[in-house]
Amino acid sequence: MTDTAPTAIPPSAQVTLPDGRVELAPGTPPPSGPYANEDLLPVPVEKRTWTTYNFSALWVGMAHNTASWTLASGLIAVGMDWKQAVLTIALANVIVLVPMLLTGHAGLKYGIPFPVFARASFGVRGANLPAVVRALVACGWFGIQTWIGGEAIFFLAGKLIGDSWADAGRIGGYAWTMWLSFALFWALQVAIIYRGMETIRRFENWAAPFVLVGAFVMLWWMSAKAGGVGPLFDQPSRLGWGGDFWKLFWPSLMGMIGFWSTLSLNIPDFTRYGRSQRAQTRGQALGLPTTMTLFAFLSVLVTSGSQAVYGEPVWDPVQLAAKTDNVVGLLYALVTVLVATLSVNIAANLVSPAFDFSNVAPRRVSFRAGALVTSVLAVLIFPWKLYSDPQGYIFTWLGLVGGLLGTVAGILIADYWVLRRARLDLADLYRAGGRYWYAGGWNWRAVAAFVVGGVLAIGGASFKPLIDGRPVPALAPLADYGWAVGLGTSMVLYLLLMLPRASREREPAPTDAVDVRDAP
């Protein structure tokens, strides 16, 4: 297979503003054809309005959610104490912030979403590979979060209606009223996403502080039940700080990184609306590691308290809230769960796959249609099974997701920062035969790096409780470091495969015209 050379590349039709952001030159017709639609086109600079607060609020809203809570409380459930759990989560979020900022830079500079950004490395058509992988992972997350929200509605209605609701006839191991609650929450989210990105931004702004207050209320309630905050700190680790802890630490760290490895790819879907690189950098740095660590701290203290009060850790906050006899307190706790779940699920698990599925067939699949596809697939992956056990949730689901998506992140970062030095040609990202067309729209080097990195990252992992055994037992020693193995392997291999092409490439880098309209 040989690469086709770019043909008849016209002069650059993009301009660079004094702040470094790039857009199509005034008067230039927007890209059209089979690889463009309104949702995938670059956002005009005048519509890039998100500030530091918006990005921080986005992360506060996404970090303060039930899945994040169970992320931390699950570490208590598998044997860590509160110090070990908080350390693991804090370190993981500092690490994952680095690729988040590196990939987010492209979205803000060029106003493009993740699947269009991926075209530079995978090819105009080949970008569908990482986009669909990312979208399918989001479907899994959307299903898990929707199940959590359905649980909250189920318990809330049960307290208001009585035993007839909770003890309804069972289907597939759950009361039919639980399935109804799941369907109601599913429909609510689809209705919100259909109102568009501006509605999501406004929702995140007020949801973030509401959820944080709810977490502190749960901490106050549990400390009162336990007789003070002392018992919350006194619960010992079942692992100590020796070999048993470190054996669990590394796969747990990779799982925690895997939790946000999805957003480390598709953060351009949000940064494309940013006002400046400083806004997205500060907003994410303030919003992600700090709030995730704080929320983890609250989560592990409450879970430790439940261990002191009930004799075993209750890692699911919905199940924990249902134990209270105070109706007002229960209502507030469960409404908080609903708001938190809506916040993260819409922003993290519907926006991104909607763009990803739209990229597969831009002329046929709009942003809203992509969101509907995500919503349907989220039910078909049986999320109630993924969420049923903290071992499978942390080590299987998060570990596999992190390993696979770390592989994509390595390729994107190597291509954008090392090979292209953060220079892209906007028009060619939407055009057949341009500099990102490679061979028939696919860059086989990126595909090879993805496959090799993916096999090394997850080939030796345990797939329980999904299936028994490991696909490639010989790779088992690498399984505990899946995200790092995937990112490092794909980055190095991609650069090695691309360097010969780069050295003989005579195609000039895009030379943007400088727009001085906003210069001081």
Side-chain angles (χ1 to χ4, degrees):
M1 181 183 294
T2 58
D3 290 342
T4 55
T7 57
I9 298 177
S12 177
Q14 61 192 46
V15 294
T16 301
L17 274 66
D19 62 8
R21 291 181 297 172
V22 177
E23 68 174 347
L24 295 171
T28 301
S32 59
Y35 306 108
N37 67 22
E38 184 178 354
D39 298 314
L40 297 176
L41 291 178
V43 176
V45 166
E46 64 268 17
K47 294 184 179 181
R48 302 183 203 176
T49 58
W50 286 33
T51 64
T52 297
Y53 176 79
N54 295 134
F55 285 112
S56 295
L58 175 75
W59 273 115
V60 172
M62 291 197 295
H64 294 162
N65 68 84
T66 311
S68 296
W69 184 282
T70 56
L71 190 73
S73 61
L75 294 179
I76 300 295
V78 298
M80 291 188 184
D81 66 12
W82 72 270
K83 296 184 293 294
Q84 293 168 335
V86 171
L87 169 67
T88 303
I89 291 175
L91 181 59
N93 282 280
V94 170
I95 293 172
V96 81
L97 178 65
V98 176
M100 199 88 67
L101 296 177
L102 292 176
T103 54
H105 184 280
L108 192 141
K109 182 174 181 179
Y110 293 97
I112 53 176
F114 158 65
V116 174
F117 174 42
R119 292 176 181 180
S121 51
F122 281 84
V124 174
R125 289 176 172 170
N128 286 323
L129 173 62
V132 169
V133 168
R134 166 64 183 95
L136 292 176
V137 169
C139 291
W141 274 123
F142 182 81
I144 289 173
Q145 295 277 13
T146 303
W147 183 256
I148 292 170
E151 264 193 332
I153 293 177
F154 175 74
F155 284 114
L156 178 60
K159 286 290 182 178
L160 298 175
I161 297 173
D163 293 341
S164 61
W165 177 271
D167 298 335
R170 304 181 78 81
I171 301 174
Y174 296 93
W176 68 264
T177 47
M178 177 64 217
W179 295 111
L180 176 61
S181 302
F182 176 62
L184 289 173
F185 194 66
W186 180 92
L188 174 62
Q189 294 172 107
V190 173
I192 291 176
I193 196 70
Y194 258 64
R195 296 186 63 86
M197 285 295 295
E198 186 60 24
T199 300
I200 294 170
R201 183 183 69 85
R202 291 196 298 267
F203 179 78
E204 294 294 339
N205 285 346
W206 73 264
F210 182 87
V211 174
L212 185 58
V213 171
F216 276 105
V217 170
M218 287 197 73
L219 177 62
W220 170 81
W221 169 63
M222 187 51 61
S223 62
K225 293 278 289 185
V229 296
L232 279 60
F233 289 95
D234 290 343
Q235 299 305 305
S237 169
R238 301 199 303 268
L239 305 171
W241 288 93
D244 290 341
F245 167 71
W246 293 107
K247 183 178 179 180
L248 185 66
F249 170 77
W250 293 110
S252 298
L253 181 69
M254 293 299 109
M256 301 305 104
I257 293 173
F259 187 76
W260 288 125
S261 64
T262 50
L263 267 293
S264 69
L265 295 187
N266 69 269
I267 194 65
D269 294 339
F270 300 96
T271 59
R272 66 192 297 222
Y273 300 99
R275 183 172 293 174
S276 67
Q277 292 293 353
R278 176 179 292 184
Q280 73 101 0
T281 300
R282 287 184 174 180
Q284 294 202 75
L286 291 172
L288 173 59
T290 53
T291 53
M292 277 295 290
T293 302
L294 173 62
F295 204 60
F297 181 68
L298 297 174
S299 170
V300 297
L301 286 185
V302 172
T303 306
S304 294
S306 71
Q307 184 171 313
V309 173
Y310 302 109
E312 61 179 3
V314 183
W315 75 298
D316 186 338
V318 178
Q319 300 283 351
L320 183 59
K323 290 182 177 291
T324 181
D325 295 324
N326 186 314
V327 176
V328 175
L330 175 69
L331 291 177
Y332 184 84
L334 293 182
V335 168
T336 300
V337 169
L338 287 173
V339 173
T341 307
L342 274 172
S343 177
V344 69
N345 222 19
I346 292 172
N349 302 321
L350 264 184
V351 170
S352 301
F355 285 125
D356 295 337
F357 286 128
S358 179
N359 188 70
V360 174
R363 284 185 167 180
R364 297 182 178 89
V365 182
S366 66
F367 173 81
R368 290 180 171 85
L372 186 59
V373 171
T374 302
S375 304
V376 172
L377 291 178
V379 179
L380 300 180
I381 56 97
F382 305 139
W384 46 93
K385 291 186 178 292
L386 292 174
Y387 185 67
S388 61
D389 173 58
Q391 291 274 355
Y393 175 58
I394 293 175
F395 301 121
T396 299
W397 172 245
L398 293 178
L400 295 180
V401 165
L404 200 58
L405 298 186
T407 304
V408 178
I411 294 169
L412 296 181
I413 293 169
D415 183 82
Y416 181 70
W417 286 103
V418 180
L419 294 181
R420 304 191 190 279
R421 308 294 174 89
R423 301 298 302 276
L424 298 176
D425 187 303
L426 277 175
D428 272 7
L429 289 170
Y430 301 88
R431 180 163 50 206
R435 69 184 80 226
Y436 310 120
W437 188 246
Y438 299 102
W442 287 76
N443 183 5
W444 65 266
R445 302 163 188 82
V447 175
F450 171 76
V451 171
V452 173
V455 170
L456 292 177
I458 69 172
S462 170
F463 281 56
K464 291 181 179 180
L466 302 177
I467 61 173
D468 291 329
R470 303 171 187 267
V472 187
L475 297 177
L478 300 178
D480 289 348
Y481 314 97
W483 181 82
V485 169
L487 185 140
T489 301
S490 64
M491 181 180 292
V492 172
L493 182 57
Y494 180 76
L495 290 174
L496 290 175
L497 293 174
M498 284 292 290
L499 283 176
R501 182 181 192 272
S503 64
R504 69 173 185 268
E505 182 66 74
R506 296 181 179 178
E507 168 193 352
T511 54
D512 306 344
V514 177
D515 189 341
V516 297
R517 289 174 296 171
D518 298 332

